[in-house]
Amino acid sequence: MTRNGSRSTGRPTLNEVAKLAAVSPITASRALRGIATVAPELVEKVRAAALSLGYVANPAARALASSHSQTVVVLVPSLSNQLFIETLEAIQAVLSPRGLEVVIGNYHYSPHEEENLLRSHLANRPRGLLLTGFDRSPAAQHLLAASGVPCVHMMELDGQRAESCVGFSQQQAGAEAARHLLSRGRRRLAYVAAQLDPRVLQRGKGFQAALEAAGAYDPALQVSTPQPSSIGLGGELFARLLEEHPDVDGMFFCNDDLAQGAALEALRRGISIPERVSLIGFNDLPGSAHMVPRLTSIRTPREEVGQRAAQLLLGLLDGTVQPSQIDLGFELVVREST
């Protein structure tokens, strides 16, 4: 025999929590999900009852009852890159108070892995999706279109799509780096890129376009590798560039860790920065302001991207906003390396 209203497993049910808290099951459910319309005193009673009984919600049952789960799936290409950590923390801070569970997927910059993650998570009927960029496999695009799940894209803008996104122009950021180096009197300018995800390639296109407009583009000075971005790799690519092109006088790195590695390698070799060669990074990661010399970088709004993307998704879920594109811009932070 089981208790009245209990699961056959003997675990306490939502009905028991509601009875102990002297509220309806609907109120108990809303209180435990963090719905703002429930009075604070009722929320406290329901949570105390749930704690007393040892009640744990069954997300699968909730999904069956409501035709969707209370999860928001967030897919990012890397969890080792600090810029995505800041974005994820901001997303969590916005969605958790609404009773939404953030489920994170890392696809390691692999379109095939991202497609598999989408297929798996969409089977569980999430409330919403937060995805990184627009570039994905045709099969993944079909899955998204067929799912009907509200979706917001992060880190990129695309004026040709009628989809919600929050980010900034990667190409304009690359062009800004080129214009800054040119304004410092540099003419032999290199773009140093690793990982080669779509956003890295977009920055390179912007950098190239600005150099072409100034008559200063040399394809031989564009160095790229699919290897993951790292401080060690930055030092290696910096040394290779100087050996193969001793006249290079400015370098734009696709990520700050590469630029930090270049600055450290220059210090080891006794190469004067910026007198001999100027360095500029991207993302303005922690540590760049404390390098020797302090690193010029393009600061990206990583935390705000996560916050605004999550808020936009909530608006789509509530039906209070239409799909829109939010351009948060970027900031060139000029320091001693240029």
Side-chain angles (χ1 to χ4, degrees):
M1 295 288 292
T2 61
R3 293 172 295 177
N4 184 33
S6 298
R7 300 188 183 98
S8 60
T9 61
R11 295 195 300 269
T13 68
L14 180 65
N15 286 338
E16 290 179 299
V17 173
K19 183 177 180 180
L20 182 60
V23 299
S24 70
I26 292 177
T27 298
S29 174
R30 289 174 176 170
L32 292 173
R33 286 157 45 204
I35 302 302
T37 56
V38 182
E41 60 271 18
L42 293 182
V43 172
E44 185 176 345
K45 288 177 62 178
V46 170
R47 289 180 175 173
L51 181 62
S52 173
L53 293 171
Y55 171 77
V56 177
N58 183 343
R62 182 185 295 168
L64 288 172
S66 63
S67 297
H68 52 68
S69 70
Q70 290 300 112
T71 63
V72 170
V73 175
V74 185
L75 299 187
V76 296
S78 172
L79 288 176
S80 61
N81 193 327
Q82 185 159 359
L83 73 95
F84 292 112
I85 300 300
E86 294 176 25
T87 303
L88 290 170
E89 288 181 346
I91 290 169
Q92 182 86 30
V94 172
L95 296 183
S96 290
R98 284 288 299 268
L100 294 168
E101 179 185 2
V102 176
V103 177
I104 300 167
N106 176 12
Y107 56 90
H108 305 96
Y109 291 96
S110 166
H112 179 68
E113 282 192 46
E114 184 189 35
E115 179 186 323
N116 288 337
L117 285 171
L118 278 172
R119 196 181 307 277
S120 174
H121 286 300
L122 287 173
N124 295 321
R125 293 176 290 189
R127 288 292 305 278
L129 295 166
L130 291 170
L131 305 180
T132 306
F134 291 99
D135 188 70
R136 47 192 44 89
S137 71
Q141 294 177 27
H142 178 73
L143 286 170
L144 289 174
S147 72
V149 175
C151 177
V152 176
H153 302 265
M154 303 181 294
M155 300 294 179
E156 291 183 43
L157 303 174
D158 191 335
Q160 298 180 347
R161 298 171 184 255
E163 298 180 76
S164 294
C165 59
V166 178
F168 56 93
S169 171
Q170 301 279 345
Q171 289 199 30
Q172 289 181 19
E176 182 68 16
R179 288 192 290 265
H180 175 66
L181 290 171
L182 289 168
S183 74
R184 292 295 198 258
R186 308 298 174 167
R187 299 293 293 180
R188 297 290 292 158
L189 302 179
Y191 179 50
V192 185
Q195 199 69 65
L196 307 185
D197 66 75
R199 288 160 297 284
V200 168
L201 299 179
Q202 289 170 35
R203 281 168 229 154
K205 288 181 180 178
F207 189 75
Q208 176 180 336
L211 293 185
E212 287 177 338
Y217 176 66
D218 182 351
L221 296 180
Q222 312 312 298
V223 178
S224 62
T225 173
Q227 296 180 63
S229 178
S230 69
I231 289 177
L233 180 61
E236 293 174 13
L237 296 178
F238 174 79
R240 184 203 306 175
L241 256 174
L242 287 181
E243 290 168 6
E244 296 178 356
H245 303 280
D247 61 340
V248 66
D249 59 8
M251 300 182 189
F252 171 41
F253 295 84
C254 75
N255 200 35
D256 266 13
D257 55 359
L258 291 174
Q260 290 171 3
L264 291 171
E265 183 65 20
L267 189 62
R268 277 190 291 268
R269 291 171 174 246
I271 297 173
S272 181
I273 305 294
E275 289 78 10
R276 168 62 183 82
V277 56
S278 293
L279 307 180
I280 178 171
F282 190 85
N283 280 320
D284 196 27
L285 297 178
S288 290
H290 308 288
M291 297 296 295
V292 179
R294 294 178 176 86
L295 183 65
T296 294
S297 186
I298 291 180
R299 180 179 295 160
T300 55
R302 303 179 294 276
E303 182 178 351
E304 191 177 1
V305 165
Q307 180 184 63
R308 296 290 295 276
Q311 291 170 345
L312 180 54
L313 180 62
L314 288 178
L316 294 174
L317 294 176
D318 295 339
T320 58
V321 301
Q322 295 296 316
S324 59
Q325 303 207 14
I326 300 175
D327 185 354
L328 298 178
F330 53 85
E331 178 186 1
L332 173 66
V333 182
V334 180
R335 301 191 181 101
E336 297 165 353
S337 68
T338 56

